[in-house]
Amino acid sequence: MGFVPHDIKAYNHPRPQQGESNGNLHQPPIFDPYVSPSPSLSGTVHNAHQPQINPYAQDTTGNGGASYYQEPAYTQPIQYHLYTPLGPHRDPTHQYQRTVQDFFISDTLREDLQRKSAAAQQILPNSKLPPQIDHFYSLVPLDTNNQRNTAIFGYASWIYKVVSSKDGNTYALRRLEGYRLTKEQAIRNVQAWKRVNNSSLVTVQDIFTNRSFGDSALMIITDYFPLAKTLAEVHFPSPNTRFNSRGQNVLHVPEQTIWSYMVQICNALKTIHGAGLAARIIEPSKVLLTNKNRIRLNACAIMDVVEYENAPTKNLLDYQRADFFQLGQLLLSVGTNIPLTSHNTSKAMETFSRSYSGVLKDRVSWLLSMGNVSTKTESIDTFITSIASQTMSTLDSSLSLDDTLHTELNRELENGRIVRIMTKLNCITERPDYNHDRQWSETGERFPIKLFRDYVFHQVDAQGNPVMDLAHILGCLNKLDAGSEEKFVLTSRDEQIVIVVSYREMKRAVENAYGDLVKAGRSGAMQ
């Protein structure tokens, strides 16, 4: 049976209803109050003495100023099948330099996202770890070494990747081995940390005690960042770690990176101090590097729990001043590539001043001075004001990254629609059996769909060689999904059948055939 395309019906512009478009029942498609004459009834001549509407005068439509501009009765639909590269375009290229990758995100970003996705899906087969802790399961160790270290929290600390059975999300679980809770109020104080939300801080999701490992332990649940490294692993790698397997020397840290670290940590401290809290732990092994120069403070709430009984010996201002001092030590150690525990502050400052500007040296010296003078009352706001110019530089870098990611996202804008239309086409074409009819996909409206598949994917040149034109494939699929009025020619493989059809008619045929399949699937499921 041959395919007879439907007649192309004229598109009737929707008429405005009563009370729409500022009360004008008959308007031209586009009305400009500064250029076009005032609207009149169809088929009549404008009166030369008819007063013009003054848009700056009082409202003459009776709508109480609901809409200032005259709204057109009909606007052109969005051309979904057209690709438009959006800015900013930082690296202009010539036409001959454009490649297939212009339609998709860059390989570097894709590889980074896929590696993080693979890390989040990692499992540990034949694990001897507990199968489940509360409602968390699938434990995978994240520690880069198995050495017990009690210097920071006073307890051996281990961290795992876990999955929640409540929401299916992946989290990080930190276990403090051997911790015994003596006062319930110690854990209740962490509720304030759950309400702290900052882009430079790892959010605390939950905290509880558990005996799944055979001992009493404190469990802290935080957000999980795949493939994140600590500043200690990045800037002070030991020869035995996977980050410095060959023992290479650590490179000099650029000054702009130091400023970026300072601004981001100050951003976190502003929120923390504003909530009436203190970080109490700012050191390289507890600061995560989640992306290039993108850091987050981690494990801040733990000290409020493990040192709850010692908290009355210091007031909040003392802890907040200690945050400044620890920040100064962190920046000094990163700038000199010397761990905190193995350098003298005065010698390190001499080395630091030889490598960086005097402004940065003064800011780090001010932070270190907060640990010696207990009478200083400067707040985090005062310090942020003193580094305002560098804050603007960091903000500019962040906005540039935002523009880059939006440009990458625009390249993937239509891919979801392409997948949907390709799914429909493949469900219809070459279907071996439908409703006991083996020729269903070869007859009726389905036959042109098969020819369309050949037209899009099986093009050949005059010599019979395959034509691999991705632009042609994407253009055809987008026009089909958008229902374009453009016409094209379909030819059977034996060249005995030639059909002139529009994309709009092809879309109707695809929707009808796919709808029949969906209905048949639903009816079969109900039987």
Side-chain angles (χ1 to χ4, degrees), residues 133-306:
I133 298 178
D134 199 56
H135 59 274
F136 299 97
Y137 65 95
S138 186
L139 277 72
V140 176
L142 298 179
D143 296 284
T144 57
N145 58 71
N146 57 358
Q147 297 180 359
R148 294 168 57 90
N149 185 0
T150 62
I152 299 176
F153 301 116
Y155 301 89
S157 174
W158 312 97
I159 189 165
Y160 308 88
K161 177 183 73 68
V162 296
V163 180
S164 171
S165 60
K166 290 185 176 180
D167 54 19
N169 294 332
T170 305
Y171 298 94
L173 182 149
R174 183 178 295 275
R175 166 178 168 245
L176 263 62
E177 181 182 339
Y179 174 82
R180 293 183 179 275
L181 181 65
T182 57
K183 294 184 179 181
E184 190 69 23
Q185 187 62 32
I187 289 184
R188 292 178 182 176
N189 287 341
V190 181
Q191 297 299 324
W193 282 100
K194 295 182 181 180
R195 296 188 292 268
V196 177
N197 186 15
N198 187 274
S199 59
S200 300
L201 181 69
V202 178
T203 304
V204 177
Q205 300 292 342
D206 198 6
I207 185 169
F208 54 89
T209 55
N210 190 276
R211 292 182 175 271
S212 298
F213 283 87
D215 64 338
S216 178
L218 181 68
M219 307 292 182
I220 303 95
I221 307 297
T222 62
D223 289 341
Y224 170 66
F225 297 93
L227 301 183
K229 305 176 185 177
T230 66
L231 292 188
E233 293 171 330
V234 175
H235 297 289
F236 319 119
S238 62
N240 297 325
T241 63
R242 58 190 176 104
F243 301 108
N244 193 24
S245 57
R246 297 183 180 180
Q248 66 267 26
N249 295 326
V250 180
L251 299 177
H252 171 74
V253 181
E255 179 168 340
Q256 190 57 42
T257 301
I258 303 291
W259 282 115
S260 178
Y261 288 173
M262 180 187 297
V263 170
Q264 293 179 70
I265 295 179
C266 286
N267 175 43
L269 292 180
K270 179 176 174 58
T271 302
I272 294 172
H273 292 183
L277 301 168
R280 300 185 63 181
I281 178 169
I282 304 176
E283 67 100 29
S285 66
K286 297 299 175 287
V287 179
L288 293 183
L289 182 68
T290 56
N291 285 303
K292 182 179 180 180
N293 294 342
R294 183 70 171 87
I295 63 173
R296 288 176 168 88
L297 285 184
N298 191 24
C300 291
I302 298 178
M303 301 302 295
D304 289 347
V305 178
V306 298

Side-chain angles (χ1 to χ4, degrees), residues 35 68 93 106 115 145 148 151 184 206 216 221 251 272-273 295 321 333-334 336 341 350 356 446 468 477 494:
V35 178
Y68 174 76
T93 57
S106 64
R115 287 181 180 274
N145 58 71
R148 294 168 57 90
E184 190 69 23
D206 198 6
S216 178
I221 307 297
L251 299 177
I272 294 172
H273 292 183
I295 63 173
R321 279 194 294 267
S333 61
V334 169
T336 57
T341 57
E350 293 178 3
Y356 300 101
R446 280 79 60 189
M468 309 305 294
L477 293 176
D494 57 5

Side-chain angles (χ1 to χ4, degrees), residues 329-385:
Q329 282 190 315
L330 172 68
L331 299 176
L332 184 61
S333 61
V334 169
T336 57
N337 292 325
I338 302 175
L340 289 173
T341 57
S342 61
H343 71 72
N344 180 276
T345 302
S346 59
K347 278 189 176 181
M349 184 56 69
E350 293 178 3
T351 305
F352 189 88
S353 60
R354 288 195 297 266
S355 303
Y356 300 101
S357 65
V359 178
L360 180 58
K361 172 182 174 296
D362 292 341
R363 294 299 87 203
V364 173
S365 298
W366 185 92
L367 291 170
L368 294 174
S369 67
M370 295 296 291
N372 300 326
V373 183
S374 60
T375 58
K376 287 190 175 182
T377 59
E378 285 83 351
S379 65
I380 184 63
D381 295 326
T382 304
F383 183 75
I384 291 177
T385 302

Side-chain angles (χ1 to χ4, degrees), residues 104-106 109 403-412:
F104 310 101
I105 64 175
S106 64
L109 179 59
D403 291 339
T404 302
L405 294 179
H406 271 83
T407 302
E408 298 286 355
L409 179 62
N410 176 67
R411 294 179 178 178
E412 297 283 330

Side-chain angles (χ1 to χ4, degrees), residues 70-92:
Q70 299 287 341
E71 297 180 359
Y74 171 74
T75 57
Q76 290 290 336
I78 299 176
Q79 301 298 316
Y80 289 103
H81 62 285
L82 299 180
Y83 280 86
T84 303
L86 301 180
H89 310 290
R90 305 191 186 281
D91 298 321

